Amino acid sequence: AQSVSQHNHHVILSEAASLELGCNYSYGGTVNLFWYVQYPGQHLQLLLKYFSGDPLVKGIKGFEAEFIKSKFSFNLRKPSVQWSDTAEYFCAVNAVNYGGSQGNLIFGKGTKLSVKP
Amino acid sequence: DAGITQSPRHKVTETGTPVTLRCHQTENHRYMYWYRQDPGHGLRLIHYSYGVKDTDKGEVSDGYSVSRSKTEDFLLTLESATSSQTSVYFCAISEKMNTEAFFGQGTRLTVV
């Protein structure tokens, strides 16, 4: 079964610091990749997605992610974080052409980001 | 935000009682999902539906059943609630398989 690993459980940064959150997945075939954000007490919102094409994708609120196929990675980045970026971030992977429930979105365990003002 | 409504938003129930959570969508999306979110586990798929009356199990389906009699409604039932089912439950929808999913606001369920 495919799996998604997010290496950092909790990241603490000061405002204006740069952010990189790691995400690795296990499926060797074609994948669609996503980053979701969950602000405190809220539901998950889509930050960005990758289906094909340019491996550097830009999302909302200044976030971007880079797909590196050889490393099975899809790391999330932001050059300068703000206090309002405090949230939990989830990487999710969808194995294209994979049958059954494994063809659905599989989530990592999440990374909590705390930004100090 | 996608038109997804979950009800109830909060529920406290006793061990052994049946509980039904409802997800209602106005987007006419084919796929609907139930996830549970627990600290340290992220989101785990319970059941999903790929059309009216078409459902299948996810990663953590034991103790749960679902039904989808209309495109817009997807019900999750805990036949006999246990304390291990205390969690936040999220409904999600997607237009197609292999595309992004949009999430509801969640239902916080506490089993005492």
PDB file of all heavy atoms in Angstrom, chain A residues 32 34 36 38 43-44 49 51 90 94-95 100-101 103-105 107-109, chain B residues 1 33 35 37 40-43 45 48 57 90 97-101 103-105:
ATOM      1  N   ASN A  32      -0.685  12.107  -8.481  1.00  0.00           N
ATOM      2  CA  ASN A  32      -1.101  13.493  -8.331  1.00  0.00           C
ATOM      3  C   ASN A  32      -0.781  13.894  -6.892  1.00  0.00           C
ATOM      4  O   ASN A  32      -0.935  13.080  -5.967  1.00  0.00           O
ATOM      5  CB  ASN A  32      -2.599  13.658  -8.596  1.00  0.00           C
ATOM      6  CG  ASN A  32      -2.958  13.365 -10.043  1.00  0.00           C
ATOM      7  OD1 ASN A  32      -2.157  13.568 -10.946  1.00  0.00           O
ATOM      8  ND2 ASN A  32      -4.174  12.886 -10.259  1.00  0.00           N
ATOM      9  N   PHE A  34      -0.695  16.903  -3.634  1.00  0.00           N
ATOM     10  CA  PHE A  34      -1.438  18.019  -3.076  1.00  0.00           C
ATOM     11  C   PHE A  34      -0.834  18.444  -1.742  1.00  0.00           C
ATOM     12  O   PHE A  34      -0.265  17.628  -1.012  1.00  0.00           O
ATOM     13  CB  PHE A  34      -2.903  17.620  -2.819  1.00  0.00           C
ATOM     14  CG  PHE A  34      -3.593  16.996  -3.991  1.00  0.00           C
ATOM     15  CD1 PHE A  34      -3.473  15.638  -4.245  1.00  0.00           C
ATOM     16  CD2 PHE A  34      -4.370  17.764  -4.841  1.00  0.00           C
ATOM     17  CE1 PHE A  34      -4.100  15.056  -5.329  1.00  0.00           C
ATOM     18  CE2 PHE A  34      -5.011  17.198  -5.929  1.00  0.00           C
ATOM     19  CZ  PHE A  34      -4.876  15.837  -6.178  1.00  0.00           C
ATOM     20  N   TYR A  36      -2.462  20.551   1.565  1.00  0.00           N
ATOM     21  CA  TYR A  36      -3.609  21.169   2.189  1.00  0.00           C
ATOM     22  C   TYR A  36      -3.146  21.896   3.459  1.00  0.00           C
ATOM     23  O   TYR A  36      -2.168  21.493   4.100  1.00  0.00           O
ATOM     24  CB  TYR A  36      -4.642  20.117   2.592  1.00  0.00           C
ATOM     25  CG  TYR A  36      -5.463  19.564   1.455  1.00  0.00           C
ATOM     26  CD1 TYR A  36      -4.980  18.524   0.662  1.00  0.00           C
ATOM     27  CD2 TYR A  36      -6.729  20.071   1.175  1.00  0.00           C
ATOM     28  CE1 TYR A  36      -5.744  18.006  -0.378  1.00  0.00           C
ATOM     29  CE2 TYR A  36      -7.500  19.562   0.143  1.00  0.00           C
ATOM     30  CZ  TYR A  36      -7.003  18.533  -0.628  1.00  0.00           C
ATOM     31  OH  TYR A  36      -7.767  18.025  -1.652  1.00  0.00           O
ATOM     32  N   GLN A  38      -4.666  23.480   7.242  1.00  0.00           N
ATOM     33  CA  GLN A  38      -5.779  23.507   8.191  1.00  0.00           C
ATOM     34  C   GLN A  38      -5.462  24.534   9.270  1.00  0.00           C
ATOM     35  O   GLN A  38      -4.590  24.318  10.117  1.00  0.00           O
ATOM     36  CB  GLN A  38      -5.991  22.125   8.812  1.00  0.00           C
ATOM     37  CG  GLN A  38      -7.218  22.052   9.710  1.00  0.00           C
ATOM     38  CD  GLN A  38      -7.440  20.662  10.272  1.00  0.00           C
ATOM     39  OE1 GLN A  38      -6.497  19.916  10.526  1.00  0.00           O
ATOM     40  NE2 GLN A  38      -8.698  20.299  10.478  1.00  0.00           N
ATOM     41  N   HIS A  43     -11.541  23.617   8.661  1.00  0.00           N
ATOM     42  CA  HIS A  43     -11.422  22.448   7.796  1.00  0.00           C
ATOM     43  C   HIS A  43     -10.195  22.564   6.896  1.00  0.00           C
ATOM     44  O   HIS A  43      -9.518  23.589   6.896  1.00  0.00           O
ATOM     45  CB  HIS A  43     -12.697  22.310   6.958  1.00  0.00           C
ATOM     46  CG  HIS A  43     -12.915  23.438   6.000  1.00  0.00           C
ATOM     47  ND1 HIS A  43     -13.178  24.723   6.402  1.00  0.00           N
ATOM     48  CD2 HIS A  43     -12.883  23.474   4.643  1.00  0.00           C
ATOM     49  CE1 HIS A  43     -13.336  25.493   5.349  1.00  0.00           C
ATOM     50  NE2 HIS A  43     -13.157  24.768   4.263  1.00  0.00           N
ATOM     51  N   LEU A  44      -9.915  21.519   6.156  1.00  0.00           N
ATOM     52  CA  LEU A  44      -8.775  21.529   5.254  1.00  0.00           C
ATOM     53  C   LEU A  44      -9.081  22.334   4.002  1.00  0.00           C
ATOM     54  O   LEU A  44     -10.170  22.218   3.419  1.00  0.00           O
ATOM     55  CB  LEU A  44      -8.409  20.100   4.834  1.00  0.00           C
ATOM     56  CG  LEU A  44      -7.496  19.348   5.787  1.00  0.00           C
ATOM     57  CD1 LEU A  44      -8.287  18.842   6.979  1.00  0.00           C
ATOM     58  CD2 LEU A  44      -6.823  18.197   5.075  1.00  0.00           C
ATOM     59  N   LYS A  49      -1.626  22.062  -5.990  1.00  0.00           N
ATOM     60  CA  LYS A  49      -1.738  20.711  -6.527  1.00  0.00           C
ATOM     61  C   LYS A  49      -0.793  20.546  -7.705  1.00  0.00           C
ATOM     62  O   LYS A  49      -0.451  21.528  -8.387  1.00  0.00           O
ATOM     63  CB  LYS A  49      -3.170  20.419  -6.966  1.00  0.00           C
ATOM     64  CG  LYS A  49      -3.657  21.350  -8.072  1.00  0.00           C
ATOM     65  CD  LYS A  49      -5.131  21.136  -8.366  1.00  0.00           C
ATOM     66  CE  LYS A  49      -5.598  22.092  -9.463  1.00  0.00           C
ATOM     67  NZ  LYS A  49      -7.053  22.011  -9.704  1.00  0.00           N
ATOM     68  N   PHE A  51      -0.407  17.887 -11.067  1.00  0.00           N
ATOM     69  CA  PHE A  51      -0.876  16.750 -11.852  1.00  0.00           C
ATOM     70  C   PHE A  51       0.176  16.356 -12.889  1.00  0.00           C
ATOM     71  O   PHE A  51       0.479  15.183 -13.067  1.00  0.00           O
ATOM     72  CB  PHE A  51      -2.196  17.062 -12.560  1.00  0.00           C
ATOM     73  CG  PHE A  51      -3.381  17.180 -11.639  1.00  0.00           C
ATOM     74  CD1 PHE A  51      -4.600  17.664 -12.100  1.00  0.00           C
ATOM     75  CD2 PHE A  51      -3.312  16.814 -10.303  1.00  0.00           C
ATOM     76  CE1 PHE A  51      -5.696  17.779 -11.256  1.00  0.00           C
ATOM     77  CE2 PHE A  51      -4.395  16.921  -9.449  1.00  0.00           C
ATOM     78  CZ  PHE A  51      -5.591  17.407  -9.936  1.00  0.00           C
ATOM     79  N   PHE A  90      -0.785  19.473   5.492  1.00  0.00           N
ATOM     80  CA  PHE A  90      -0.882  18.061   5.127  1.00  0.00           C
ATOM     81  C   PHE A  90      -0.506  17.864   3.665  1.00  0.00           C
ATOM     82  O   PHE A  90      -1.032  18.556   2.786  1.00  0.00           O
ATOM     83  CB  PHE A  90      -2.309  17.548   5.330  1.00  0.00           C
ATOM     84  CG  PHE A  90      -2.742  17.499   6.764  1.00  0.00           C
ATOM     85  CD1 PHE A  90      -3.418  18.579   7.336  1.00  0.00           C
ATOM     86  CD2 PHE A  90      -2.497  16.386   7.542  1.00  0.00           C
ATOM     87  CE1 PHE A  90      -3.831  18.539   8.651  1.00  0.00           C
ATOM     88  CE2 PHE A  90      -2.909  16.339   8.869  1.00  0.00           C
ATOM     89  CZ  PHE A  90      -3.569  17.417   9.426  1.00  0.00           C
ATOM     90  N   ASN A  94      -2.210  10.920  -4.546  1.00  0.00           N
ATOM     91  CA  ASN A  94      -3.231  10.131  -5.205  1.00  0.00           C
ATOM     92  C   ASN A  94      -2.536   9.315  -6.278  1.00  0.00           C
ATOM     93  O   ASN A  94      -1.909   9.870  -7.165  1.00  0.00           O
ATOM     94  CB  ASN A  94      -4.244  11.113  -5.807  1.00  0.00           C
ATOM     95  CG  ASN A  94      -5.330  10.441  -6.515  1.00  0.00           C
ATOM     96  OD1 ASN A  94      -5.186  10.075  -7.653  1.00  0.00           O
ATOM     97  ND2 ASN A  94      -6.443  10.257  -5.842  1.00  0.00           N
ATOM     98  N   ALA A  95      -2.615   7.986  -6.153  1.00  0.00           N
ATOM     99  CA  ALA A  95      -1.945   7.113  -7.112  1.00  0.00           C
ATOM    100  C   ALA A  95      -2.841   6.905  -8.320  1.00  0.00           C
ATOM    101  O   ALA A  95      -3.866   6.229  -8.227  1.00  0.00           O
ATOM    102  CB  ALA A  95      -1.604   5.778  -6.461  1.00  0.00           C
ATOM    103  N   GLY A 100      -9.242   0.560  -6.361  1.00  0.00           N
ATOM    104  CA  GLY A 100      -9.758   0.460  -5.007  1.00  0.00           C
ATOM    105  C   GLY A 100      -9.494   1.701  -4.196  1.00  0.00           C
ATOM    106  O   GLY A 100      -9.277   2.784  -4.718  1.00  0.00           O
ATOM    107  N   SER A 101      -9.498   1.533  -2.873  1.00  0.00           N
ATOM    108  CA  SER A 101      -9.370   2.695  -1.998  1.00  0.00           C
ATOM    109  C   SER A 101      -7.996   3.342  -2.113  1.00  0.00           C
ATOM    110  O   SER A 101      -7.833   4.513  -1.797  1.00  0.00           O
ATOM    111  CB  SER A 101      -9.632   2.289  -0.553  1.00  0.00           C
ATOM    112  OG  SER A 101      -8.581   1.490  -0.046  1.00  0.00           O
ATOM    113  N   GLY A 103      -6.649   4.274  -4.670  1.00  0.00           N
ATOM    114  CA  GLY A 103      -6.711   5.307  -5.690  1.00  0.00           C
ATOM    115  C   GLY A 103      -7.218   6.626  -5.155  1.00  0.00           C
ATOM    116  O   GLY A 103      -7.258   7.616  -5.874  1.00  0.00           O
ATOM    117  N   ASN A 104      -7.600   6.634  -3.886  1.00  0.00           N
ATOM    118  CA  ASN A 104      -8.071   7.862  -3.270  1.00  0.00           C
ATOM    119  C   ASN A 104      -6.909   8.646  -2.655  1.00  0.00           C
ATOM    120  O   ASN A 104      -5.777   8.190  -2.641  1.00  0.00           O
ATOM    121  CB  ASN A 104      -9.099   7.537  -2.191  1.00  0.00           C
ATOM    122  CG  ASN A 104     -10.349   6.930  -2.772  1.00  0.00           C
ATOM    123  OD1 ASN A 104     -11.003   7.514  -3.613  1.00  0.00           O
ATOM    124  ND2 ASN A 104     -10.685   5.728  -2.324  1.00  0.00           N
ATOM    125  N   LEU A 105      -7.230   9.819  -2.135  1.00  0.00           N
ATOM    126  CA  LEU A 105      -6.208  10.639  -1.495  1.00  0.00           C
ATOM    127  C   LEU A 105      -5.690   9.951  -0.238  1.00  0.00           C
ATOM    128  O   LEU A 105      -6.476   9.559   0.625  1.00  0.00           O
ATOM    129  CB  LEU A 105      -6.785  11.997  -1.106  1.00  0.00           C
ATOM    130  CG  LEU A 105      -6.821  13.084  -2.183  1.00  0.00           C
ATOM    131  CD1 LEU A 105      -7.453  14.338  -1.606  1.00  0.00           C
ATOM    132  CD2 LEU A 105      -5.447  13.370  -2.720  1.00  0.00           C
ATOM    133  N   PHE A 107      -3.177  10.696   2.951  1.00  0.00           N
ATOM    134  CA  PHE A 107      -2.592  11.854   3.615  1.00  0.00           C
ATOM    135  C   PHE A 107      -1.391  11.475   4.467  1.00  0.00           C
ATOM    136  O   PHE A 107      -1.337  10.379   5.052  1.00  0.00           O
ATOM    137  CB  PHE A 107      -3.635  12.519   4.519  1.00  0.00           C
ATOM    138  CG  PHE A 107      -4.647  13.334   3.780  1.00  0.00           C
ATOM    139  CD1 PHE A 107      -5.763  12.736   3.229  1.00  0.00           C
ATOM    140  CD2 PHE A 107      -4.483  14.698   3.626  1.00  0.00           C
ATOM    141  CE1 PHE A 107      -6.704  13.475   2.527  1.00  0.00           C
ATOM    142  CE2 PHE A 107      -5.418  15.457   2.938  1.00  0.00           C
ATOM    143  CZ  PHE A 107      -6.518  14.843   2.386  1.00  0.00           C
ATOM    144  N   GLY A 108      -0.456  12.398   4.570  1.00  0.00           N
ATOM    145  CA  GLY A 108       0.573  12.305   5.585  1.00  0.00           C
ATOM    146  C   GLY A 108      -0.004  12.676   6.934  1.00  0.00           C
ATOM    147  O   GLY A 108      -1.159  13.088   7.048  1.00  0.00           O
ATOM    148  N   LYS A 109       0.809  12.550   7.976  1.00  0.00           N
ATOM    149  CA  LYS A 109       0.312  12.790   9.332  1.00  0.00           C
ATOM    150  C   LYS A 109       0.278  14.261   9.698  1.00  0.00           C
ATOM    151  O   LYS A 109      -0.216  14.615  10.773  1.00  0.00           O
ATOM    152  CB  LYS A 109       1.153  12.007  10.337  1.00  0.00           C
ATOM    153  CG  LYS A 109       0.998  10.497  10.169  1.00  0.00           C
ATOM    154  CD  LYS A 109       1.749   9.716  11.216  1.00  0.00           C
ATOM    155  CE  LYS A 109       1.505   8.217  11.007  1.00  0.00           C
ATOM    156  NZ  LYS A 109       2.197   7.381  11.999  1.00  0.00           N
TER     157      LYS A 109
ATOM    158  N   ASP B   1     -15.819  28.552  -0.912  1.00  0.00           N
ATOM    159  CA  ASP B   1     -15.830  27.184  -0.363  1.00  0.00           C
ATOM    160  C   ASP B   1     -16.871  26.329  -1.080  1.00  0.00           C
ATOM    161  O   ASP B   1     -17.930  26.813  -1.477  1.00  0.00           O
ATOM    162  CB  ASP B   1     -16.143  27.208   1.130  1.00  0.00           C
ATOM    163  CG  ASP B   1     -14.928  27.632   1.956  1.00  0.00           C
ATOM    164  OD1 ASP B   1     -13.829  27.695   1.387  1.00  0.00           O
ATOM    165  OD2 ASP B   1     -15.102  27.891   3.146  1.00  0.00           O
ATOM    166  N   TYR B  33     -16.476  11.212   0.384  1.00  0.00           N
ATOM    167  CA  TYR B  33     -15.557  10.491   1.261  1.00  0.00           C
ATOM    168  C   TYR B  33     -15.857  10.832   2.720  1.00  0.00           C
ATOM    169  O   TYR B  33     -16.269  11.936   3.038  1.00  0.00           O
ATOM    170  CB  TYR B  33     -14.102  10.917   0.979  1.00  0.00           C
ATOM    171  CG  TYR B  33     -13.713  10.918  -0.475  1.00  0.00           C
ATOM    172  CD1 TYR B  33     -13.954  12.029  -1.284  1.00  0.00           C
ATOM    173  CD2 TYR B  33     -13.075   9.824  -1.041  1.00  0.00           C
ATOM    174  CE1 TYR B  33     -13.588  12.042  -2.619  1.00  0.00           C
ATOM    175  CE2 TYR B  33     -12.698   9.829  -2.387  1.00  0.00           C
ATOM    176  CZ  TYR B  33     -12.962  10.941  -3.164  1.00  0.00           C
ATOM    177  OH  TYR B  33     -12.592  10.942  -4.481  1.00  0.00           O
ATOM    178  N   TYR B  35     -13.527  10.840   6.165  1.00  0.00           N
ATOM    179  CA  TYR B  35     -12.228  10.700   6.804  1.00  0.00           C
ATOM    180  C   TYR B  35     -12.400  10.941   8.301  1.00  0.00           C
ATOM    181  O   TYR B  35     -13.277  11.659   8.737  1.00  0.00           O
ATOM    182  CB  TYR B  35     -11.237  11.743   6.284  1.00  0.00           C
ATOM    183  CG  TYR B  35     -10.705  11.500   4.897  1.00  0.00           C
ATOM    184  CD1 TYR B  35     -11.371  11.973   3.770  1.00  0.00           C
ATOM    185  CD2 TYR B  35      -9.496  10.825   4.717  1.00  0.00           C
ATOM    186  CE1 TYR B  35     -10.854  11.763   2.496  1.00  0.00           C
ATOM    187  CE2 TYR B  35      -8.970  10.610   3.442  1.00  0.00           C
ATOM    188  CZ  TYR B  35      -9.657  11.092   2.348  1.00  0.00           C
ATOM    189  OH  TYR B  35      -9.139  10.883   1.088  1.00  0.00           O
ATOM    190  N   GLN B  37      -9.964  12.337  11.585  1.00  0.00           N
ATOM    191  CA  GLN B  37      -8.706  13.007  11.893  1.00  0.00           C
ATOM    192  C   GLN B  37      -8.394  12.824  13.357  1.00  0.00           C
ATOM    193  O   GLN B  37      -9.192  13.191  14.225  1.00  0.00           O
ATOM    194  CB  GLN B  37      -8.768  14.498  11.555  1.00  0.00           C
ATOM    195  CG  GLN B  37      -7.444  15.209  11.809  1.00  0.00           C
ATOM    196  CD  GLN B  37      -7.495  16.683  11.458  1.00  0.00           C
ATOM    197  OE1 GLN B  37      -8.542  17.316  11.495  1.00  0.00           O
ATOM    198  NE2 GLN B  37      -6.357  17.253  11.105  1.00  0.00           N
ATOM    199  N   GLY B  40      -1.619  12.931  15.460  1.00  0.00           N
ATOM    200  CA  GLY B  40      -0.546  11.982  15.178  1.00  0.00           C
ATOM    201  C   GLY B  40      -0.852  10.993  14.070  1.00  0.00           C
ATOM    202  O   GLY B  40       0.024  10.207  13.691  1.00  0.00           O
ATOM    203  N   HIS B  41      -2.075  11.025  13.571  1.00  0.00           N
ATOM    204  CA  HIS B  41      -2.447  10.081  12.501  1.00  0.00           C
ATOM    205  C   HIS B  41      -2.836  10.783  11.206  1.00  0.00           C
ATOM    206  O   HIS B  41      -3.013  10.131  10.182  1.00  0.00           O
ATOM    207  CB  HIS B  41      -3.616   9.202  12.939  1.00  0.00           C
ATOM    208  CG  HIS B  41      -3.248   8.205  13.999  1.00  0.00           C
ATOM    209  ND1 HIS B  41      -2.661   6.988  13.708  1.00  0.00           N
ATOM    210  CD2 HIS B  41      -3.361   8.254  15.339  1.00  0.00           C
ATOM    211  CE1 HIS B  41      -2.455   6.329  14.830  1.00  0.00           C
ATOM    212  NE2 HIS B  41      -2.860   7.071  15.841  1.00  0.00           N
ATOM    213  N   GLY B  42      -2.985  12.084  11.232  1.00  0.00           N
ATOM    214  CA  GLY B  42      -3.428  12.776  10.032  1.00  0.00           C
ATOM    215  C   GLY B  42      -4.863  12.417   9.716  1.00  0.00           C
ATOM    216  O   GLY B  42      -5.676  12.199  10.622  1.00  0.00           O
ATOM    217  N   LEU B  43      -5.177  12.342   8.442  1.00  0.00           N
ATOM    218  CA  LEU B  43      -6.520  11.962   8.012  1.00  0.00           C
ATOM    219  C   LEU B  43      -6.481  10.558   7.446  1.00  0.00           C
ATOM    220  O   LEU B  43      -5.618  10.234   6.627  1.00  0.00           O
ATOM    221  CB  LEU B  43      -7.047  12.912   6.940  1.00  0.00           C
ATOM    222  CG  LEU B  43      -7.558  14.231   7.477  1.00  0.00           C
ATOM    223  CD1 LEU B  43      -6.439  15.253   7.546  1.00  0.00           C
ATOM    224  CD2 LEU B  43      -8.689  14.764   6.592  1.00  0.00           C
ATOM    225  N   LEU B  45      -8.898   7.486   5.651  1.00  0.00           N
ATOM    226  CA  LEU B  45     -10.130   7.254   4.907  1.00  0.00           C
ATOM    227  C   LEU B  45     -10.925   6.128   5.554  1.00  0.00           C
ATOM    228  O   LEU B  45     -10.406   5.033   5.787  1.00  0.00           O
ATOM    229  CB  LEU B  45      -9.794   6.910   3.457  1.00  0.00           C
ATOM    230  CG  LEU B  45     -10.964   6.693   2.524  1.00  0.00           C
ATOM    231  CD1 LEU B  45     -11.763   7.988   2.335  1.00  0.00           C
ATOM    232  CD2 LEU B  45     -10.464   6.180   1.170  1.00  0.00           C
ATOM    233  N   TYR B  48     -15.714   5.464   1.139  1.00  0.00           N
ATOM    234  CA  TYR B  48     -15.946   6.434   0.086  1.00  0.00           C
ATOM    235  C   TYR B  48     -17.058   5.924  -0.826  1.00  0.00           C
ATOM    236  O   TYR B  48     -17.440   4.747  -0.789  1.00  0.00           O
ATOM    237  CB  TYR B  48     -14.668   6.717  -0.706  1.00  0.00           C
ATOM    238  CG  TYR B  48     -14.153   5.566  -1.531  1.00  0.00           C
ATOM    239  CD1 TYR B  48     -14.361   5.521  -2.909  1.00  0.00           C
ATOM    240  CD2 TYR B  48     -13.425   4.542  -0.943  1.00  0.00           C
ATOM    241  CE1 TYR B  48     -13.872   4.472  -3.673  1.00  0.00           C
ATOM    242  CE2 TYR B  48     -12.938   3.486  -1.692  1.00  0.00           C
ATOM    243  CZ  TYR B  48     -13.151   3.453  -3.053  1.00  0.00           C
ATOM    244  OH  TYR B  48     -12.667   2.412  -3.797  1.00  0.00           O
ATOM    245  N   LYS B  57     -14.866   0.348   1.040  1.00  0.00           N
ATOM    246  CA  LYS B  57     -14.159   0.566   2.304  1.00  0.00           C
ATOM    247  C   LYS B  57     -12.860   1.308   2.084  1.00  0.00           C
ATOM    248  O   LYS B  57     -12.206   1.177   1.063  1.00  0.00           O
ATOM    249  CB  LYS B  57     -13.857  -0.784   2.959  1.00  0.00           C
ATOM    250  CG  LYS B  57     -15.090  -1.557   3.358  1.00  0.00           C
ATOM    251  CD  LYS B  57     -14.691  -2.894   3.968  1.00  0.00           C
ATOM    252  CE  LYS B  57     -15.915  -3.696   4.377  1.00  0.00           C
ATOM    253  NZ  LYS B  57     -15.554  -5.000   4.970  1.00  0.00           N
ATOM    254  N   PHE B  90     -14.442  14.233   8.922  1.00  0.00           N
ATOM    255  CA  PHE B  90     -14.559  15.152   7.790  1.00  0.00           C
ATOM    256  C   PHE B  90     -15.154  14.432   6.591  1.00  0.00           C
ATOM    257  O   PHE B  90     -14.742  13.327   6.234  1.00  0.00           O
ATOM    258  CB  PHE B  90     -13.193  15.704   7.386  1.00  0.00           C
ATOM    259  CG  PHE B  90     -12.667  16.755   8.315  1.00  0.00           C
ATOM    260  CD1 PHE B  90     -11.750  16.432   9.294  1.00  0.00           C
ATOM    261  CD2 PHE B  90     -13.095  18.074   8.213  1.00  0.00           C
ATOM    262  CE1 PHE B  90     -11.254  17.396  10.155  1.00  0.00           C
ATOM    263  CE2 PHE B  90     -12.616  19.046   9.077  1.00  0.00           C
ATOM    264  CZ  PHE B  90     -11.693  18.704  10.043  1.00  0.00           C
ATOM    265  N   MET B  97     -12.291  10.840  -9.733  1.00  0.00           N
ATOM    266  CA  MET B  97     -11.210  10.138  -9.041  1.00  0.00           C
ATOM    267  C   MET B  97      -9.908  10.818  -9.460  1.00  0.00           C
ATOM    268  O   MET B  97      -9.808  11.355 -10.558  1.00  0.00           O
ATOM    269  CB  MET B  97     -11.214   8.673  -9.458  1.00  0.00           C
ATOM    270  CG  MET B  97     -10.115   7.838  -8.864  1.00  0.00           C
ATOM    271  SD  MET B  97     -10.306   7.530  -7.114  1.00  0.00           S
ATOM    272  CE  MET B  97     -11.313   6.057  -7.134  1.00  0.00           C
ATOM    273  N   ASN B  98      -8.929  10.812  -8.595  1.00  0.00           N
ATOM    274  CA  ASN B  98      -7.598  11.345  -8.875  1.00  0.00           C
ATOM    275  C   ASN B  98      -7.554  12.862  -9.006  1.00  0.00           C
ATOM    276  O   ASN B  98      -6.629  13.402  -9.599  1.00  0.00           O
ATOM    277  CB  ASN B  98      -6.995  10.750 -10.162  1.00  0.00           C
ATOM    278  CG  ASN B  98      -6.923   9.234 -10.133  1.00  0.00           C
ATOM    279  OD1 ASN B  98      -7.119   8.579 -11.133  1.00  0.00           O
ATOM    280  ND2 ASN B  98      -6.630   8.676  -8.970  1.00  0.00           N
ATOM    281  N   THR B  99      -8.554  13.551  -8.500  1.00  0.00           N
ATOM    282  CA  THR B  99      -8.486  15.013  -8.470  1.00  0.00           C
ATOM    283  C   THR B  99      -8.559  15.489  -7.022  1.00  0.00           C
ATOM    284  O   THR B  99      -8.717  14.693  -6.117  1.00  0.00           O
ATOM    285  CB  THR B  99      -9.626  15.654  -9.276  1.00  0.00           C
ATOM    286  OG1 THR B  99     -10.872  15.249  -8.692  1.00  0.00           O
ATOM    287  CG2 THR B  99      -9.578  15.224 -10.720  1.00  0.00           C
ATOM    288  N   GLU B 100      -8.446  16.797  -6.852  1.00  0.00           N
ATOM    289  CA  GLU B 100      -8.479  17.324  -5.500  1.00  0.00           C
ATOM    290  C   GLU B 100      -9.840  17.107  -4.864  1.00  0.00           C
ATOM    291  O   GLU B 100     -10.868  17.063  -5.538  1.00  0.00           O
ATOM    292  CB  GLU B 100      -8.122  18.817  -5.488  1.00  0.00           C
ATOM    293  CG  GLU B 100      -9.106  19.709  -6.203  1.00  0.00           C
ATOM    294  CD  GLU B 100      -8.716  19.930  -7.662  1.00  0.00           C
ATOM    295  OE1 GLU B 100      -8.226  18.991  -8.306  1.00  0.00           O
ATOM    296  OE2 GLU B 100      -8.920  21.064  -8.132  1.00  0.00           O
ATOM    297  N   ALA B 101      -9.812  16.976  -3.540  1.00  0.00           N
ATOM    298  CA  ALA B 101     -11.041  16.852  -2.779  1.00  0.00           C
ATOM    299  C   ALA B 101     -11.271  18.140  -2.001  1.00  0.00           C
ATOM    300  O   ALA B 101     -10.322  18.828  -1.618  1.00  0.00           O
ATOM    301  CB  ALA B 101     -10.954  15.667  -1.824  1.00  0.00           C
ATOM    302  N   PHE B 103     -13.268  19.780   1.349  1.00  0.00           N
ATOM    303  CA  PHE B 103     -13.668  19.261   2.648  1.00  0.00           C
ATOM    304  C   PHE B 103     -14.765  20.084   3.300  1.00  0.00           C
ATOM    305  O   PHE B 103     -14.826  21.310   3.137  1.00  0.00           O
ATOM    306  CB  PHE B 103     -12.453  19.220   3.581  1.00  0.00           C
ATOM    307  CG  PHE B 103     -11.531  18.091   3.279  1.00  0.00           C
ATOM    308  CD1 PHE B 103     -10.631  18.172   2.229  1.00  0.00           C
ATOM    309  CD2 PHE B 103     -11.582  16.919   4.015  1.00  0.00           C
ATOM    310  CE1 PHE B 103      -9.790  17.110   1.926  1.00  0.00           C
ATOM    311  CE2 PHE B 103     -10.748  15.858   3.727  1.00  0.00           C
ATOM    312  CZ  PHE B 103      -9.851  15.955   2.676  1.00  0.00           C
ATOM    313  N   GLY B 104     -15.602  19.383   4.068  1.00  0.00           N
ATOM    314  CA  GLY B 104     -16.584  20.041   4.908  1.00  0.00           C
ATOM    315  C   GLY B 104     -15.934  20.552   6.178  1.00  0.00           C
ATOM    316  O   GLY B 104     -14.731  20.400   6.401  1.00  0.00           O
ATOM    317  N   GLN B 105     -16.763  21.149   7.047  1.00  0.00           N
ATOM    318  CA  GLN B 105     -16.272  21.804   8.248  1.00  0.00           C
ATOM    319  C   GLN B 105     -15.946  20.834   9.371  1.00  0.00           C
ATOM    320  O   GLN B 105     -15.306  21.216  10.349  1.00  0.00           O
ATOM    321  CB  GLN B 105     -17.326  22.809   8.744  1.00  0.00           C
ATOM    322  CG  GLN B 105     -17.617  23.927   7.775  1.00  0.00           C
ATOM    323  CD  GLN B 105     -16.504  24.952   7.730  1.00  0.00           C
ATOM    324  OE1 GLN B 105     -15.720  25.076   8.653  1.00  0.00           O
ATOM    325  NE2 GLN B 105     -16.419  25.694   6.646  1.00  0.00           N
TER     326      GLN B 105
END
